[in-house]
Amino acid sequence: MTQPLDLAPVGNGIIAGLFDRRGRCSWLCWPRFDGDPIFCALLGGEEPQDGFMECEMVGLQQTRQAYRRNTAVLETELEDEHGNRLRITDFAPRFRRFGRSFRPPMLVRRIEPLSGTPLIRLRIRPRAHWGRDVPERRSGSNHLRYFSADSALRLTTDAPLACVAEEAPFLLDQPITLLFGPDETIPGAVEDLGDEFLRETENHWLDWTRGLHLPFEWQEAVIRAAITLKLCTFEETGAVVAALTTSIPEAPDSGRNWDYRYCWLRDALFTVQALNRLGTTRTMEEYIRYVTNVVAISPGGELKPCYPLVPSLSMHERLAEALPGFLGMGPVRVGNQAADQVQNDVYGSVIMAAAQMFFDQRLPRPAGEPLFRLLERLGEQAEARALTPDAGIWEYRGRARIHTFSAAMCWAGMARLAGIARHLGLPDRAERWAKSARELHAVICERAYRPELGCFVESFESDGMDASLLLLPEIGFLPASDPRFLGTLAAVERRLLHEGFIYRYDMADDFGKPETAFLVCSFWYVDALAAVGRMEEARAMFGSILSCRNHLGLLAEDLNPTRNQLWGNFPQTYSHVGLILSAMRLSRSWEHGLWGG
């Protein structure tokens, strides 16, 4: 079955490109994740004529593609009908240099012959202003420069420059290197610099993965998911984007096209949680720095559901009408109206993301009372808003209700504040938040649980079902053994489990009923099965989800279970978080795996 999203991300925490099976870079926002897509062919219709970078092999017969082991360095092999073969190596430089992190907004491409003498054609066709404009091109001694009204890019290469400029075919008889990025002079030989960058970047990723605390089983899948989460972290500010793309529809021709190149506070919580479980706490530290900046610019501690990479900028939603959309399925949206919504779970999300900062002794500077006082401002908002209508976790655009998950997350934030206060030796504050949490817990249980249905429901006094209710044990609201949760799990199975996967909810929204399964919900179901002791079912379900990954082990947001096709923005952080957390919950221990027979 054709997989629409057989794509591979390459990045360095500042930029990220997406490459298809042939090595074409069809998506690259510059100079950061939320910038103008200078390579925008991904949203250029079915047969885009520009907006990409590619090495076309004349007479191409077959392709092979893989990441170098435990890295974000991508290798694509092309073979023609005569057996001539070449390898394309793509990466974004990332390593320590001059005592600081070096991660320029640059892609490096190395093309080398493996057998015979391949005939190739290099096509470098950037666009500007969301596909509307073609940059002006000028040639230099060993580079091409691309100018638009507000940016300048440079391709520096040791390939035959005239052939590159004219897109003329030439024989590849020796390795060539291309550096694509800022309009800056490259010191030294291009080949030597490319080799140095490759060596240092590969070593960086190998060192990073070496420090991961992996489960015994599914290590390769978890490593790839963890690297992908790092590629979705904008390290200049600490923001974690929901995905690297915009406007890949949740289902074909559904109109559910959204811009995910921003930081949802809820999604970031789960990303931080997953990376913390793997033992890499730096993302948490950087994210808390981002959040404290967000709170500092938020009057009274009022939070939006999501923020841009630089929190003070606008996320105003508009249409990019020059681009026809993914496979022609527009519209293409820039910005996200969700930033203007009320989603009350965000207060609990931020407090929960920060909680480990107070308890983790590995940190050079564990958090103390100043951060706690800042989080209390968010707790006061959670307390005030928990029982008020909002758009909910699924960001309904046409309705507002008192959503059970939102209220439960407000409870979780207050409960965490009580625990943090006890840890800091602040008994008065601990009792203050514990009392508020107890009172809210009682109200939620009274108004969100329907005894006649035997389950919690998606919003107070409703009868709808919502997959986020599977998280109630995860956030500590109820033990998994509680009969009320067992009834909720059974209701989710009856109403949201279709063709082996979990859908978000069973009600129509602004666009009708969802047509695809939301992958992280299926991971939540795996975790719930494991929590109630149905381990064999959980492991079988986990295997089914893993089988839906693309050719490099990556996931988007949604799945068409009938056709086994990935849909939605890519790569989706939520989905990879779910993979990591489920793998760690289900895996045999190292002791059992190594010594248990």
Side-chain angles (χ1 to χ4, degrees):
M1 185 62 63
T2 302
Q3 183 59 265
L5 291 172
D6 271 348
L7 300 170
V10 166
N12 61 2
I14 298 295
I15 61 164
L18 293 178
F19 295 77
D20 68 14
R21 282 180 174 267
R22 296 171 296 166
R24 170 187 277 191
C25 182
S26 59
W27 185 253
L28 174 67
C29 294
W30 199 86
R32 57 178 188 252
F33 300 151
D34 61 352
D36 185 22
I38 54 178
F39 294 141
C40 56
L42 184 67
L43 302 181
E46 296 197 47
E47 294 293 336
Q49 298 303 305
D50 50 24
F52 56 78
M53 172 178 69
E54 72 174 356
C55 170
E56 180 191 63
M57 186 182 213
V58 177
L60 178 66
Q61 189 74 28
Q62 59 179 325
T63 69
R64 290 177 290 275
Q65 193 173 60
Y67 286 104
R68 288 196 182 183
R69 184 176 181 272
N70 294 357
T71 75
V73 177
L74 181 68
E75 294 186 332
T76 307
E77 292 189 11
L78 307 181
E79 183 174 337
D80 68 16
E81 55 198 358
H82 304 296
N84 298 304
R85 291 191 303 123
L86 63 84
R87 178 189 297 124
I88 306 170
T89 303
D90 289 296
F91 66 97
R94 179 197 169 99
F95 48 89
R96 298 288 295 178
R97 197 181 203 200
F98 307 129
R100 60 182 182 271
S101 184
F102 178 70
R103 40 180 189 251
M106 173 188 292
L107 290 179
V108 180
R109 164 163 282 195
R110 179 178 172 83
I111 309 172
E112 55 186 322
L114 297 179
S115 65
T117 311
L119 183 62
I120 66 170
R121 182 184 288 110
L122 299 182
R123 302 182 193 271
I124 317 294
R125 297 180 178 180
R127 298 286 289 190
H129 308 131
W130 289 88
R132 191 177 67 245
D133 300 324
V134 178
E136 177 187 353
R137 192 186 70 199
R138 302 175 191 170
S139 296
S141 56
N142 63 344
H143 63 263
L144 297 173
R145 303 168 75 194
Y146 301 88
F147 293 91
S148 64
D150 48 12
S151 68
L153 297 158
R154 180 182 295 223
L155 172 72
T156 305
T157 182
D158 53 7
L161 199 63
C163 293
V164 177
E166 302 300 331
E167 298 184 352
F170 63 95
L171 292 173
L172 183 70
D173 55 2
Q174 60 184 5
I176 58 175
T177 301
L178 296 85
L179 309 178
F180 186 80
D183 184 26
E184 300 172 356
T185 301
I186 300 298
V190 175
E191 180 180 15
D192 293 344
L193 193 63
D195 287 345
E196 177 194 350
F197 283 4
L198 175 58
R199 181 176 62 254
E200 295 293 336
T201 299
E202 183 172 19
N203 287 338
H204 163 81
W205 286 111
L206 291 173
D207 286 342
W208 187 79
T209 55
R210 187 180 293 121
L212 297 178
H213 300 163
L214 297 172
F216 180 75
E217 299 179 85
W218 305 294
Q219 292 184 45
E220 186 176 349
V222 169
I223 288 172
R224 184 51 50 200
I227 290 174
T228 302
L229 292 183
K230 284 298 290 181
L231 294 181
C232 293
T233 302
F234 183 67
E235 296 187 354
E236 283 191 2
T237 63
V240 181
V241 298
L244 295 173
T245 59
T246 177
S247 302
I248 299 179
E250 296 177 11
D253 295 307
S254 64
R256 297 175 185 266
N257 300 13
W258 317 114
D259 192 347
Y260 276 13
R261 302 168 305 138
Y262 306 109
C263 182
W264 269 256
L265 301 183
R266 176 194 316 112
D267 297 30
L269 157 66
F270 290 104
T271 300
V272 165
Q273 181 186 14
L275 292 175
N276 285 350
R277 290 285 301 278
L278 292 172
T280 171
T281 60
R282 192 174 298 276
T283 300
M284 173 181 62
E285 297 174 76
E286 294 167 346
Y287 174 64
I288 297 306
R289 186 180 78 247
Y290 174 82
V291 167
T292 54
N293 285 326
V294 165
V295 175
I297 64 173
S298 304
E302 297 180 12
L303 295 180
K304 299 176 181 180
C306 51
Y307 290 85
L309 305 185
V310 180
S312 59
L313 299 182
S314 171
M315 285 178 56
H316 174 70
E317 185 175 301
R318 61 183 176 86
L319 299 183
E321 297 180 350
L323 292 173
F326 181 72
L327 301 178
M329 300 177 189
V332 173
R333 289 187 171 91
V334 184
N336 200 302
Q337 183 185 318
D340 300 322
Q341 289 188 347
V342 174
Q343 295 177 29
N344 293 329
D345 66 292
V346 297
Y347 300 100
S349 296
V350 172
I351 295 168
M352 291 177 68
Q356 186 168 333
M357 295 282 292
F358 295 88
F359 297 91
D360 195 330
Q361 292 300 313
R362 294 172 297 175
L363 302 180
R365 291 183 300 275
E369 191 168 338
L371 180 58
F372 172 71
R373 296 296 182 183
L374 182 145
L375 294 178
E376 282 197 300
R377 292 166 56 189
L378 306 184
E380 290 165 0
Q381 290 289 338
E383 187 175 43
R385 296 168 176 266
L387 302 178
T388 63
D390 72 348
I393 183 175
W394 306 122
E395 302 182 342
Y396 297 108
R397 294 193 169 201
R399 68 164 220 208
R401 297 181 181 176
I402 304 176
H403 289 96
T404 304
F405 180 76
S406 295
M409 285 296 288
C410 289
W411 168 86
M414 292 189 285
R416 292 332 185 260
L417 284 175
I420 294 167
R422 284 192 293 270
H423 177 72
L424 294 177
L426 303 171
D428 292 345
R429 305 312 295 166
E431 178 52 31
R432 179 259 189 273
W433 290 112
K435 180 176 182 293
S436 291
R438 285 194 302 270
E439 293 172 352
L440 177 57
H441 193 281
V443 174
I444 296 171
C445 290
E446 178 185 354
R447 298 184 60 186
Y449 182 73
R450 297 282 300 274
E452 68 276 20
L453 299 177
C455 64
F456 283 90
V457 288
E458 57 90 28
S459 60
F460 285 15
E461 287 99 25
S462 79
D463 58 4
M465 185 48 56
D466 177 349
S468 66
L469 299 174
L470 294 170
L471 293 172
L472 293 179
E474 289 290 315
I475 65 174
F477 189 83
L478 287 175
S481 58
D482 189 296
R484 291 169 294 180
F485 178 72
L486 294 175
T488 303
L489 175 58
V492 167
E493 291 173 322
R494 288 193 308 270
R495 298 169 60 175
L496 300 182
L497 182 61
H498 303 293
E499 299 176 281
F501 293 87
I502 298 291
Y503 284 59
R504 285 174 287 182
Y505 42 82
D506 60 357
M507 306 151 294
D509 59 20
D510 312 86
F511 295 83
K513 285 193 174 183
E515 302 172 48
T516 50
F518 202 72
L519 282 168
V520 74
C521 297
S522 294
F523 285 119
W524 294 345
Y525 178 59
V526 167
D527 295 342
L529 290 175
V532 301
R534 296 162 59 181
M535 189 62 73
E536 289 188 11
E537 294 175 71
R539 290 175 66 92
M541 179 77 173
F542 185 68
S544 295
I545 305 172
L546 289 187
S547 70
C548 300
R549 294 173 299 161
N550 77 0
H551 67 302
L552 293 177
L554 302 178
L555 293 167
E557 180 182 42
D558 302 272
L559 178 78
N560 180 327
T562 303
R563 301 175 63 85
N564 200 34
Q565 286 183 332
L566 296 172
W567 287 91
N569 282 306
F570 181 90
Q572 177 77 3
T573 55
Y574 235 165
S575 299
H576 294 93
V577 163
L579 187 158
I580 291 170
L581 295 177
S582 292
M584 299 193 76
R585 180 185 294 273
L586 298 178
S587 175
R588 291 174 291 160
S589 68
W590 279 84
E591 292 78 8
H592 182 267
L594 288 174
W595 308 109

